[in-house]
Amino acid sequence: MDSKLVKPFKSFSSFTRRDFLYRAAAVGGTGLLLNTMNAWGMGIGSTMSAPPALSGSGKGKKVLILGAGLAGLTAAYELGKLGYQCQILEARAFAGGRCQTARKGFSLTELGGEKQTCEFDEGHYINHGPWRIPLHHQSTLHYTKLFEVPLEVMVNDNDHSYVYSENAGPFAGKRMRIKEIKADMRGHVSELLAKSVKNNSLDQELTADDKRLLLDYLAHEGQLAGADLQYKGRTGRGFAVNPGAGLSPGPGKQSDPLGFKELLSSKLGNVYSAVQDFPMQNTMFQPVGGMDAIPKAFEKRVGKNIRYKSEVQTIRQNDKGVTVTYKDTATNKVSTISADYCLCAIPLSVLRQIDTDFSDKFKQAVASVAYAPVGKIGLQMKRRFWEEDDNIYGGHVLTDLKGINTISMPSYNFQKKKGVLLGYYQYQTAAIEISALSPKERAEFAVAAGQKIFPQYQDAFENAFSVAWHRVQYNLGGWAEWTDKTRAAAYPTLLEGEGRIMLAGEHLSYLTGWQAGAIESAWQQIAKIHERASA
Amino acid sequence: MDSKLVKPFKSFSSFTRRDFLYRAAAVGGTGLLLNTMNAWGMGIGSTMSAPPALSGSGKGKKVLILGAGLAGLTAAYELGKLGYQCQILEARAFAGGRCQTARKGFSLTELGGEKQTCEFDEGHYINHGPWRIPLHHQSTLHYTKLFEVPLEVMVNDNDHSYVYSENAGPFAGKRMRIKEIKADMRGHVSELLAKSVKNNSLDQELTADDKRLLLDYLAHEGQLAGADLQYKGRTGRGFAVNPGAGLSPGPGKQSDPLGFKELLSSKLGNVYSAVQDFPMQNTMFQPVGGMDAIPKAFEKRVGKNIRYKSEVQTIRQNDKGVTVTYKDTATNKVSTISADYCLCAIPLSVLRQIDTDFSDKFKQAVASVAYAPVGKIGLQMKRRFWEEDDNIYGGHVLTDLKGINTISMPSYNFQKKKGVLLGYYQYQTAAIEISALSPKERAEFAVAAGQKIFPQYQDAFENAFSVAWHRVQYNLGGWAEWTDKTRAAAYPTLLEGEGRIMLAGEHLSYLTGWQAGAIESAWQQIAKIHERASA
């Protein structure tokens, strides 16, 4: 891997605000965008909901597929249906690529790191790669349906959870319920606009009818009370005393809103979206038992065509076909395999280190795309304190704590004894810096940070499993990170492939970092192979 | 039952807007409040999360419990732990009261109606009583946890679903994605307020700092673009062409916002809440397999103390104890049972028809509380078209179609072949009028109405199961419907009980219509019995 990425760990003060706002531009917001972490993949659904309808036959033709991630698996499955003879070479001992689930016994050794073996209790896991299937990703959902992979709801939106920032002015260092911020900001802002409307200061914009309708809307949106349309709180922000039975608590006791000026100066009104961004909308799914249920379902169908522990060494082609040498990682024996065509679903971050006979232009394109440093950690807690004490069931704590970004509560095993939290989800320099720590130090870092939000953290913590994708062999990054410049310079070249070799993967889509990107890319690229093979 | 409630069915035009806005006042909004149906229970969470810690013993004392609904079951379980000898009389052949699940073979004969037997396919069901467990209802969640009733997420909020109104001005008769309305209203309104701020028309309210912070907030909330802070759409409203792989669709194509004036005159901005009302917030739960998993879990523990098919005929007490006669509904044999105390968890709507020796004041209190006419229908569809064609997974279609109110998509069996929709959820005169129809006619009504929103309805419809709670023997209504007047006049009297008889149930709470109301009421009332018995 690119060792320049792994800088020595410095102090937290060396983290820059830029890292944190890294993705802010993509979602068009300004200010403190705690929820940028929610934007991974950058605003994105998928439009293709079924594989391309290809006619003709691939009988008698061989396609060599490099990599058994979602793109490679999809290609093997669909090309197999057309009659192609597919062979997948996969460097790991299992399929799925980045789609992995860490559960008891799962092990990972990052480049230059110590071996981690997951010690979660039976029945607990963390999806340390992809963890969410948006409703808009009909391509991924095509296969979960076809293969009967049971899905459950992944709670991706939970206003009862907390936002925590140490830079939130009057609310700095205090955990706040997201719903309080949301209710009160919308209440105060609606009241302010109502005042403006009533004072006729918008008469140039609005007719009398518009004004009446707008005031009606604002009264509803902000839940403004009385003829003077004031915001005085609402049940949605929570009660001071919850209603119940009898006379006490009886109707309960309403809570008082936070002050408008305090809210404004805290900037916490900028942490949630007025409407969830496209890929983040309800309903969000996860496969029951772990995301790797998807590659496992593919393996059932195309597993016989996968040669595992086969690390690609060289790629060569001529006008007759493609020849690849690969090393068996168990025996170090190098073998050769040939095919009529090749679909290379290896991440560009890895492909650029492989010996190929691509043209200089193609090699340059492969080399030009950045890959995202990304880190995640699963923390097993001996008690689901977030449910028991805080009544938070799934969803995310939004925070700008450096190197944390989000703490996510599991959407499975509700009300059971133990649970595995996502302790951080990092990008860029934060991910690079934390990844330089040992697994034990990473866990200590995550627990110390989480302790600021949940005082139960330290006592409940049992064990951890972390990944730094930029340090994982055969991935070397979380996902392709395109810029306008590289999209213009390299993307069309890479899409075109070269000779008898086509590329596929999330990197050849606008759904980077999502399984749907890999699947839809495979759908497009196998259509091109089929077209060339049928010509 | 009260036959005055069942008026002959008239034409739809006789439905009044008042019915629809029936609950609007409770949530404080104005205008077209399609989501008032979401407010059932009226704004309400529960504050008690565990049964009262009672000391002492009930050994040697008998408590007779009338009704094996959630209140009666809770009382029997908790009093049993204290050593009381509890006997429950239950009129039905099963426990749960209104907490019922209709699945294959479940049958129901409403008063004066024909017998319905549920014909849903195996594995499908409708919770035609309570169907949601809010995170705030820690009392209900206390028992699901204690009894290890597995929960799954009930999708209660889905912006990708539709709103449909025939009174929505320019959007009348068109189904609209809720997210489009939400994104565009908040975008336009934010733009308008930003304009007002920039024009200095709010300078009396805001300092220069406030103005800067508010503009930042508005730019985020409305996703306003450019220096002139205009709203030009956002990904959260959906794409015209979704992004995907390759060059086409590649980045996809943004969609254009709806016009502000059209939105205002449609009033559709008033159908959702700025923040979900208290009981409706994420995370919402349902027991896996049906809500009746909760009474079944109680039955496992206290079932031996329940005498089923035992219809209470008379209730008498003196200073020594309570005597109740009941009829075995299988044999018509009348028997007598005595106990030291009685907890009566029979709905007031039924209790007022039973021969008791309550004081006139108490009888008057029992008689004074109105019960809500409520109707629900489950529609089995041979194809999950809402998922397959519309990509809606759970959640509700909000509508003001008379007698429909909501169509709700099931939050289980995602991606399976068939599914059971909630076809309507009616209150008040709509519920009364529709309930006068035969089961077959109700289904025809629901399918014809649903067809306006989903053209696939008629073709997909297979069979239905409906309930009109005001016509169900032993319930005679959905829930107690308190007014300020009856709360003042009757509530304290009923809470106090009389002599050796205490009442319990959702009707003695501010969580009417919720299981939590019944449970928390039981918790309070058994504490009073224990206090009296220990005195």
Side-chain angles (χ1 to χ4, degrees):
Chain A
M1 75 171 297
D2 184 349
S3 63
K4 282 178 298 181
L5 283 180
V6 187
K7 293 185 207 154
F9 180 74
K10 297 186 206 162
S11 73
F12 292 139
S13 61
S14 72
F15 285 73
T16 66
R17 186 168 163 79
R18 190 190 149 277
D19 304 331
F20 181 64
L21 292 176
Y22 170 62
R23 282 168 182 272
V27 293
T30 59
L32 181 68
L33 270 162
L34 302 185
N35 67 340
T36 48
M37 69 73 42
N38 268 336
W40 81 282
M42 298 202 179
I44 353 263
S46 64
T47 194
M48 291 176 76
S49 57
L54 302 176
S55 59
S57 166
K59 280 250 163 64
K61 286 168 199 146
K62 287 187 189 173
V63 178
L64 180 61
I65 296 169
L66 306 181
L70 268 292
L73 292 167
T74 299
Y77 180 76
E78 297 299 336
L79 287 174
K81 287 199 301 182
L82 273 173
Y84 285 93
Q85 193 182 326
C86 294
Q87 174 68 54
I88 308 185
L89 297 181
E90 168 54 47
R92 292 192 173 93
F94 57 89
R98 278 156 280 184
C99 177
Q100 300 179 9
T101 298
R103 56 175 74 77
K104 194 175 188 66
F106 181 90
S107 74
L108 172 70
T109 307
E110 292 171 10
L111 292 168
E114 12 175 320
K115 182 175 178 178
Q116 284 184 80
T117 300
C118 182
E119 293 174 8
F120 298 156
D121 282 19
E122 295 287 351
H124 294 267
Y125 66 83
I126 190 92
N127 292 320
H128 55 285
W131 56 317
R132 302 188 269 210
I133 308 177
L135 75 100
H136 297 294
H137 288 188
Q138 289 293 315
S139 51
T140 310
L141 291 169
H142 168 80
Y143 288 111
T144 58
K145 185 174 182 181
L146 186 67
F147 299 159
E148 298 181 327
V149 174
L151 299 181
E152 62 193 2
V153 174
M154 191 274 184
V155 180
N156 195 45
D157 202 12
N158 190 343
D159 287 349
H160 194 61
S161 183
Y162 298 115
V163 54
Y164 178 91
S165 168
E166 296 184 340
N167 307 298
F171 307 132
K174 293 180 193 165
R175 64 182 191 183
M176 311 288 289
R177 297 276 185 186
I178 298 166
K179 64 184 184 181
E180 295 182 19
I181 307 293
K182 204 182 257 191
D184 295 347
M185 276 304 293
R186 291 190 175 146
H188 290 306
V189 165
S190 295
E191 179 183 326
L192 189 68
L193 182 54
K195 195 168 287 179
S196 193
V197 172
K198 286 191 296 178
N199 289 349
N200 309 317
S201 59
L202 288 161
D203 282 4
Q204 281 197 305
E205 315 285 333
L206 303 167
T207 66
D209 260 3
D210 290 342
K211 282 172 68 171
R212 186 179 47 78
L213 290 163
L214 180 57
L215 288 174
D216 252 17
Y217 166 80
L218 292 170
H220 174 71
E221 173 80 353
Q223 214 159 94
L224 309 181
D228 55 347
L229 296 179
Q230 286 199 319
Y231 175 65
K232 295 174 175 174
R234 64 190 299 169
T235 72
R237 73 181 310 288
F239 282 81
V241 176
N242 284 359
L247 291 170
S248 172
K253 194 170 170 302
Q254 292 270 357
S255 59
D256 294 325
L258 302 164
F260 190 27
K261 304 252 171 189
E262 286 72 32
L263 279 164
L264 277 178
S265 63
S266 77
K267 302 182 187 175
L268 292 179
N270 296 15
V271 303
Y272 51 82
S273 281
V275 63
Q276 278 283 32
D277 289 308
F278 190 62
M280 290 303 156
Q281 289 166 356
N282 278 345
T283 306
M284 188 69 76
F285 289 112
Q286 62 188 15
V288 174
M291 192 61 85
D292 63 353
I294 295 177
K296 280 178 178 163
F298 272 107
E299 266 180 314
K300 266 193 202 168
R301 286 144 181 104
V302 300
K304 60 183 188 304
N305 304 325
I306 306 176
R307 196 185 190 294
Y308 294 100
K309 299 187 182 178
S310 300
E311 194 184 282
V312 171
Q313 305 290 301
T314 66
I315 303 174
R316 296 284 183 276
Q317 64 174 321
N318 57 31
D319 55 9
K320 298 276 192 306
V322 182
T323 301
V324 166
T325 63
Y326 61 93
K327 186 176 81 178
D328 184 308
T329 59
T331 63
N332 282 335
K333 195 188 148 211
V334 175
S335 307
T336 298
I337 186 169
S338 293
D340 298 305
Y341 293 91
C342 174
L343 185 82
C344 176
I346 295 173
L348 303 177
S349 47
V350 176
L351 180 59
R352 55 191 170 224
Q353 302 186 348
I354 291 174
D355 176 2
T356 70
D357 61 356
F358 292 148
S359 69
D360 285 350
K361 184 191 172 193
F362 202 81
K363 280 182 178 167
Q364 202 170 2
V366 168
S368 69
V369 184
Y371 268 65
V374 174
K376 275 172 137 182
I377 193 166
L379 304 174
Q380 178 170 306
M381 298 292 181
K382 67 183 169 201
R383 179 169 90 79
R384 296 171 84 91
F385 56 80
W386 56 94
E387 296 182 357
E388 293 175 3
D389 306 344
D390 300 285
N391 301 346
I392 299 171
Y393 303 88
H396 316 292
V397 171
L398 308 177
T399 182
D400 59 355
L401 277 179
K402 286 158 186 164
I404 301 292
N405 274 350
T406 190
I407 293 170
S408 295
M409 278 64 70
S411 294
Y412 66 96
N413 286 350
F414 292 117
Q415 296 203 305
K416 293 273 168 47
K417 193 164 171 245
K418 298 188 177 184
V420 174
L421 291 172
L422 177 69
Y424 59 62
Y425 189 7
Q426 320 152 329
Y427 320 104
Q428 299 305 99
T429 56
I432 293 168
E433 297 194 13
I434 301 295
S435 72
L437 299 174
S438 72
K440 186 164 173 291
E441 289 168 329
R442 291 178 193 173
E444 285 167 1
F445 162 75
V447 170
Q451 181 79 20
K452 294 182 169 189
I453 303 171
F454 291 105
Q456 311 97 323
Y457 235 67
Q458 192 85 52
D459 282 347
F461 173 70
E462 288 192 326
N463 58 67
F465 185 89
S466 64
V467 64
W469 281 105
H470 46 292
R471 292 185 57 173
V472 175
Q473 196 183 16
Y474 310 131
N475 297 107
L476 304 184
W479 51 79
E481 201 100 274
W482 292 98
T483 61
D484 287 350
K485 203 174 150 193
T486 53
R487 282 275 186 207
Y491 191 63
T493 304
L494 295 171
L495 280 173
E496 198 48 36
E498 202 164 63
R500 290 170 170 267
I501 301 174
M502 298 294 303
L503 308 187
E506 53 85 24
H507 46 284
L508 293 192
S509 78
Y510 282 77
L511 310 171
T512 50
W514 293 100
Q515 295 174 99
I519 293 169
E520 292 175 42
S521 166
W523 285 351
Q524 289 199 351
Q525 301 300 73
I526 61 168
K528 291 187 197 165
I529 287 180
H530 185 57
E531 194 187 338
R532 291 184 193 182
S534 306
Chain B
M1 74 170 298
D2 185 349
S3 64
K4 283 177 299 184
L5 284 179
V6 185
K7 293 183 206 152
F9 180 73
K10 298 186 205 160
S11 72
F12 292 140
S13 60
S14 71
F15 285 73
T16 66
R17 186 169 164 79
R18 190 190 148 277
D19 306 330
F20 181 64
L21 291 176
Y22 169 63
R23 280 166 183 271
V27 293
T30 59
L32 181 70
L33 269 163
L34 302 185
N35 67 340
T36 49
M37 70 74 42
N38 268 337
W40 81 281
M42 297 203 180
I44 356 257
S46 63
T47 194
M48 291 176 74
S49 58
L54 302 176
S55 59
S57 165
K59 280 251 163 66
K61 286 170 198 141
K62 286 186 192 175
V63 178
L64 179 62
I65 296 168
L66 307 182
L70 268 294
L73 292 167
T74 298
Y77 179 77
E78 297 299 338
L79 287 174
K81 287 198 302 182
L82 273 174
Y84 285 93
Q85 194 181 327
C86 293
Q87 174 69 54
I88 308 184
L89 297 180
E90 167 54 47
R92 292 192 174 92
F94 58 89
R98 278 155 282 184
C99 178
Q100 300 179 9
T101 299
R103 56 174 75 77
K104 193 176 189 65
F106 182 90
S107 74
L108 172 70
T109 307
E110 293 170 10
L111 292 169
E114 10 173 323
K115 181 174 179 180
Q116 286 184 80
T117 301
C118 182
E119 293 174 7
F120 299 157
D121 283 21
E122 295 287 352
H124 294 268
Y125 66 84
I126 190 93
N127 291 321
H128 55 284
W131 55 317
R132 300 189 270 210
I133 306 177
L135 74 100
H136 297 295
H137 287 189
Q138 288 293 316
S139 51
T140 310
L141 291 168
H142 168 80
Y143 289 111
T144 58
K145 184 174 183 183
L146 186 67
F147 298 159
E148 297 182 328
V149 174
L151 300 180
E152 63 194 1
V153 174
M154 191 275 185
V155 180
N156 196 43
D157 201 14
N158 190 343
D159 287 348
H160 193 62
S161 183
Y162 297 114
V163 53
Y164 178 89
S165 168
E166 295 184 340
N167 306 298
F171 306 132
K174 292 181 193 164
R175 64 181 192 186
M176 312 287 289
R177 297 277 185 186
I178 298 166
K179 64 184 183 180
E180 295 181 19
I181 307 294
K182 204 181 259 192
D184 295 348
M185 277 304 294
R186 292 190 174 144
H188 290 306
V189 165
S190 296
E191 179 184 326
L192 189 69
L193 182 54
K195 194 169 288 177
S196 194
V197 172
K198 286 191 295 177
N199 290 348
N200 308 317
S201 59
L202 289 161
D203 282 4
Q204 281 196 307
E205 316 286 334
L206 303 167
T207 65
D209 260 3
D210 291 342
K211 283 172 67 169
R212 185 181 47 77
L213 290 162
L214 181 56
L215 289 174
D216 251 16
Y217 166 79
L218 293 170
H220 174 71
E221 173 80 352
Q223 214 160 94
L224 308 182
D228 55 348
L229 295 178
Q230 287 200 318
Y231 175 64
K232 295 175 176 172
R234 64 191 298 169
T235 72
R237 73 179 313 286
F239 282 82
V241 176
N242 284 359
L247 292 170
S248 171
K253 196 172 168 300
Q254 293 268 359
S255 59
D256 293 326
L258 302 164
F260 190 26
K261 304 251 169 188
E262 287 73 33
L263 278 164
L264 277 178
S265 63
S266 78
K267 301 182 187 174
L268 292 179
N270 296 16
V271 303
Y272 51 81
S273 281
V275 63
Q276 278 283 35
D277 289 308
F278 190 62
M280 290 302 157
Q281 289 166 356
N282 278 347
T283 306
M284 188 69 77
F285 289 110
Q286 62 188 16
V288 174
M291 192 61 85
D292 63 353
I294 295 177
K296 280 178 178 164
F298 272 106
E299 266 180 316
K300 266 193 202 168
R301 286 144 182 103
V302 299
K304 61 182 187 305
N305 305 326
I306 306 177
R307 198 184 188 293
Y308 294 99
K309 298 187 181 177
S310 299
E311 195 184 280
V312 172
Q313 306 288 303
T314 66
I315 303 174
R316 296 285 183 274
Q317 63 175 322
N318 57 32
D319 54 8
K320 296 278 192 303
V322 182
T323 301
V324 166
T325 63
Y326 61 94
K327 185 177 81 178
D328 183 308
T329 59
T331 63
N332 282 334
K333 193 187 150 216
V334 175
S335 307
T336 299
I337 187 170
S338 293
D340 299 305
Y341 293 91
C342 173
L343 184 82
C344 176
I346 295 174
L348 304 178
S349 47
V350 176
L351 180 58
R352 56 193 170 222
Q353 303 186 349
I354 292 174
D355 176 2
T356 70
D357 60 357
F358 292 148
S359 69
D360 285 350
K361 184 190 173 196
F362 203 81
K363 279 183 181 168
Q364 202 170 0
V366 169
S368 69
V369 184
Y371 268 65
V374 173
K376 275 171 137 184
I377 193 166
L379 304 173
Q380 178 170 306
M381 298 291 181
K382 67 183 170 203
R383 180 170 88 78
R384 296 171 83 92
F385 54 81
W386 56 94
E387 296 181 357
E388 292 175 1
D389 306 344
D390 300 284
N391 302 345
I392 300 171
Y393 302 88
H396 315 292
V397 171
L398 308 177
T399 181
D400 59 355
L401 277 179
K402 288 157 185 165
I404 300 294
N405 274 351
T406 189
I407 292 171
S408 295
M409 279 65 68
S411 294
Y412 66 96
N413 285 351
F414 292 117
Q415 295 204 306
K416 293 273 166 46
K417 193 164 172 247
K418 298 187 177 184
V420 174
L421 291 173
L422 177 68
Y424 58 63
Y425 189 7
Q426 318 152 330
Y427 320 104
Q428 300 304 99
T429 56
I432 293 167
E433 297 194 14
I434 302 296
S435 71
L437 299 174
S438 72
K440 187 164 173 289
E441 288 168 330
R442 293 178 192 172
E444 285 167 1
F445 162 75
V447 170
Q451 181 80 16
K452 293 182 171 190
I453 303 171
F454 292 105
Q456 311 97 323
Y457 236 67
Q458 193 84 53
D459 283 349
F461 173 69
E462 289 191 325
N463 58 67
F465 184 89
S466 64
V467 63
W469 281 105
H470 47 291
R471 293 185 57 173
V472 174
Q473 195 183 16
Y474 311 130
N475 298 106
L476 305 183
W479 51 79
E481 200 100 275
W482 292 98
T483 61
D484 287 349
K485 203 174 149 192
T486 54
R487 281 277 186 206
Y491 190 66
T493 304
L494 294 171
L495 279 173
E496 198 47 38
E498 202 164 61
R500 289 170 172 267
I501 301 174
M502 298 295 303
L503 309 187
E506 54 86 23
H507 46 284
L508 293 192
S509 78
Y510 282 77
L511 310 171
T512 51
W514 292 100
Q515 295 174 98
I519 293 169
E520 292 174 42
S521 166
W523 285 351
Q524 291 200 349
Q525 301 299 75
I526 61 168
K528 290 187 198 165
I529 288 181
H530 184 58
E531 194 187 339
R532 290 183 195 183
S534 307

